[in-house]
Amino acid sequence: SKGKYEHYMQKEIHEQPESLTTTMRGRLIHNGSTKRKSVLLGGLKDHLKTIRRSRRIVFIGCGTSYNAALAARPILEQLSGIPVMMEIASDLLDRQAPVYRDDTIIFVSQSGETADTLNALEYALDNGALCVGITNTVGSAIARNTHCGVHINAGSEIGVASTKAYTSQIVVLAMVALAIGADTISTKQTREGIIQSLLNLPGKIREVLKLDEEMKDLARSLISEQSLLMFGRGYNYATALEGALKVKEVALMHSEGILAGEMKHGPLALVDENLPIIVIATRDQCFSKQQSVIQQLKARKGRLIVMCTEGDAAAVCGGSCPVIEVPHVVDCLQPVVNIVPLQLLLIGVSFDRTTRIQCRSTKESCKECD
Ligand code: UD1
Ligand code: BG6
């Protein structure tokens, strides 16, 4: 049941410390007598050698699941050294894109039943690729028809707009990257740092959920707007796309997630003192580039809201714009933390607009949710 929450999506957002704990349960294990931990994914362990020999890894998904894969792409590239391509399921099929026997194709789907993703799976199987599923639904078509995979174990997700499945997908994909890269000595320290950060992640999410009231206040300043832009790059390009997808799908407001590196090649022309823009500028290797993006947006008198690391408010915009301060975690997990305030924000924005917070059982409307 929804318990004290107004609808399932709100409940699922607040459940994330627990759903992430379940996702990781039994998968971060002690190495013999040492205190060191490593990743054990039961569904992948017999296939890791084949995956390491792949010519490329291709992620396929739709909507939020595609965005989760995009968030995990950099760490998979870094730890595997294998080129990682992104494909939206319908687009791969429209192009009948080349797929080879020495490709590993990772299908990401919360439900495990999305028609486009399933059709792409059939296509990849016909072309002889190794097909790996990442799904939340045991017994789903994708879980059954892939060669191997990992269940994200986030618990059933009733809200149509995916929230807790998104964060669990990123965590599982980070663990997949750790498992594939586990034979590489040069990345050992990086991998250990990520494992430590995974263990601390539920606590960080609990902290960031405390921004609920602050996000409601911020939402009040946005409810009558026509449009909202989100700029991100690196690990947080996915955060910008996913934040914008949620605003469109749930708050019915126009929103675009924009790769900040592309700003000067078109989107800058849209910037004025009226259009609200969320810039994600948490501390990672792209931080200084994002600081320079903020300066350029300010020079255009852009109406900015900056998401930054705790304590960085003055550094990012000198107190001249609203900020969303979030706890710092290792780079590749920062998108898990950063999406949470945007999930809270869109609930605030959607409450005073034509709300479309649905549950999966009814699609169009639900007496319980309305
Ligand atoms: C499995 C058990 C779990 C048990 C644990 C104990 C299941 C569903 N999971 O979890 O209850 O506690 O062992 O060791 O029984 N798979 C696919 N495609 C997908 C997803 C999964 O083929 O999209 C396959 C995997 O390759 C694996 C099986 O399904 O063979 C189960 O996957 P998963 O639940 O992730 O494995 P474990 O975490 O080991
Ligand atoms: C769409 C939903 O229909 O399917 C999105 O509106 C969702 O919210 C997408 O992300 C993909 O779903 P799944 O179950 O394959 O992850």
Side-chain angles (χ1 to χ4, degrees), residues 161-173:
S162 180
T163 52
K164 65 174 181 173
Y166 177 71
T167 47
S168 283
Q169 284 167 336
I170 300 175
V171 161
V172 161
L173 292 171

Side-chain angles (χ1 to χ4, degrees), residues 25-27 40-44 47 107 131-135 137-140 142-153:
R25 184 163 296 139
R27 290 169 165 174
L40 175 69
L41 296 171
L44 281 197
H47 301 266
F107 294 85
C131 295
V132 180
I134 305 292
T135 176
T137 317
V138 178
S140 61
I142 288 176
R144 282 185 278 110
N145 297 330
T146 41
H147 295 119
C148 59
V150 188
H151 290 113
I152 65 168
N153 299 339

Side-chain angles (χ1 to χ4, degrees), residues 262-336:
E262 278 287 283
M263 181 184 70
K264 57 184 178 295
H265 308 299
L268 197 56
L270 287 172
V271 178
D272 63 17
E273 61 271 31
N274 300 315
L275 174 65
I277 303 175
I278 296 183
V279 185
I280 300 151
T282 41
R283 289 266 173 181
D284 62 17
Q285 58 178 5
C286 296
F287 180 64
S288 62
K289 287 184 184 169
Q290 280 303 73
Q291 280 184 303
S292 120
V293 162
I294 291 168
Q295 291 317 315
Q296 289 175 61
L297 290 170
K298 275 180 156 181
R300 295 274 179 133
K301 301 198 167 36
R303 183 179 155 194
L304 305 189
I305 298 162
V306 180
M307 183 184 292
C308 66
T309 302
E310 271 164 359
D312 263 355
V316 291
C317 68
S320 66
C321 61
V323 291
I324 305 170
E325 288 189 70
V326 296
H328 185 247
V329 295
V330 71
D331 283 16
C332 69
L333 300 178
Q334 195 69 52
V336 178

Side-chain angles (χ1 to χ4, degrees), residues 54-117:
S54 315
R55 179 154 69 161
R56 54 179 194 153
I57 297 173
V58 184
F59 274 128
I60 299 186
C62 304
T64 292
S65 294
Y66 174 91
N67 293 340
L70 185 67
R73 180 195 204 180
I75 194 61
L76 183 55
E77 284 176 336
Q78 189 190 333
L79 296 183
S80 72
I82 303 170
V84 180
M85 329 290 295
M86 298 299 307
E87 291 283 1
I88 288 175
S90 62
D91 189 43
L92 174 100
L93 292 167
D94 289 347
R95 289 169 18 243
Q96 295 284 295
V99 166
Y100 302 105
R101 292 180 65 82
D102 52 3
D103 284 339
T104 291
I105 314 230
I106 306 184
F107 294 85
V108 187
S109 171
Q110 188 286 131
S111 62
E113 303 287 353
T114 299
D116 287 330
T117 313

